Amino acid sequence: SGSLSEDLEATAQTVVRRREGKFKPELTWGFIRYLPSDGLDLRAGRLGFDVYPLSDSRNVAYSYIWVRPPVEYFGGLIVSYIDGVDAAYKYDVGSGQAKIKIFAGKAQERVLTEAPNIYFSLKGSKITGAQFEFQSQKWLARLGYSELKCNNNFPSIDHLIDTLRSPLFTQFGSNAEMLANNLSFKGKKIHYLSAGIVYDDGPLQAQLMLSRLRSETLSFNSNIAGFFTVAYRVKAWTPYLTFAKTRPADSKNIITGLPLGVHAGIDQVE
């Protein structure tokens, strides 16, 4: 990170991960920041996807209280950065400061699936969102909403979707096509709603985070998640206690309208 002029800055961050048997560098931050006034912050380039508090710095592990962030809460995030723009406006409220932020861009990552060496491409997926934050000397509170519109299908279900759209299944009417559309990722949105509060007073730190993830595709589960962490620093050590939980949301019994024998055939394709 460095200053280009009095009101212009540049920042870059590269992370090296082992993927497909090789260590590959990946640019996770790479943006230009313009500060036209004390309260306005404009950025363009590759930005961290901070849909949840702390989520834009997930690769800076030494800044965490935990050994690793609670997977129950952060596990639903399949995006870590976007190529786009954001704008943040800060203003004083009493003894604290409020911030409003909006952002838009596209994802460019490939996410490793459960199957070895098979990746889900997020390239071209659109992302928009907004956040409101209030910070005082000891407290930080934040409310945010974001949505991801997927541009590609999940590779492991491509064959199943193609099968449902084949003449073998279209003979049963529109039910197979409807099921294929419901299973597809392409064109579907994933909505993220989050709220969090952080208390930091000397050696004592506490965090409470809640989130609601709503998925428009049956292939990616909706959920409600949250965690609570309390930590106390003692010299070079910071013991902490964390409780985290996630549960499915909007679970439904899907009526396909297909004969029972066909259901078995679909199970075999999966």
Side-chain angles (χ1 to χ4, degrees), residues 172-193:
F172 300 108
S174 62
N175 295 307
E177 176 67 23
M178 185 181 303
L179 179 58
N181 290 336
N182 288 335
L183 290 170
S184 174
F185 271 85
K186 188 175 178 63
K188 302 295 178 58
K189 293 181 179 180
I190 300 174
H191 306 263
Y192 299 93
L193 178 64

Side-chain angles (χ1 to χ4, degrees), residues 31 38 42 72-74 85 94 118 133 152 166 178 180 190 195 202 205 230 243 246 259:
F31 58 83
D38 290 340
L42 307 175
E72 294 86 352
Y73 186 80
F74 293 102
V85 296
I118 296 181
E133 184 177 285
N152 304 291
S166 69
M178 185 181 303
I190 300 174
Q205 300 178 59
V230 60
F243 175 78
T246 183

Side-chain angles (χ1 to χ4, degrees), residues 7-39:
D7 52 9
L8 201 63
E9 299 177 359
T11 298
Q13 174 183 278
T14 300
V15 175
V16 178
R17 295 188 180 97
R18 183 178 176 84
R19 289 188 173 184
E20 302 176 50
K22 298 179 180 179
F23 286 99
K24 296 183 178 180
E26 184 178 18
L27 183 66
T28 53
W29 289 350
F31 58 83
I32 299 292
R33 167 181 278 140
Y34 177 52
L35 305 167
S37 64
D38 290 340

Side-chain angles (χ1 to χ4, degrees), residues 50-51 99-103 129-133 142-144:
D50 58 345
V51 56
K99 182 174 75 171
I100 299 173
K101 178 180 175 180
I102 57 174
F103 56 90
Q131 302 159 3
F132 175 77
E133 184 177 285
R142 180 167 153 182
L143 178 67

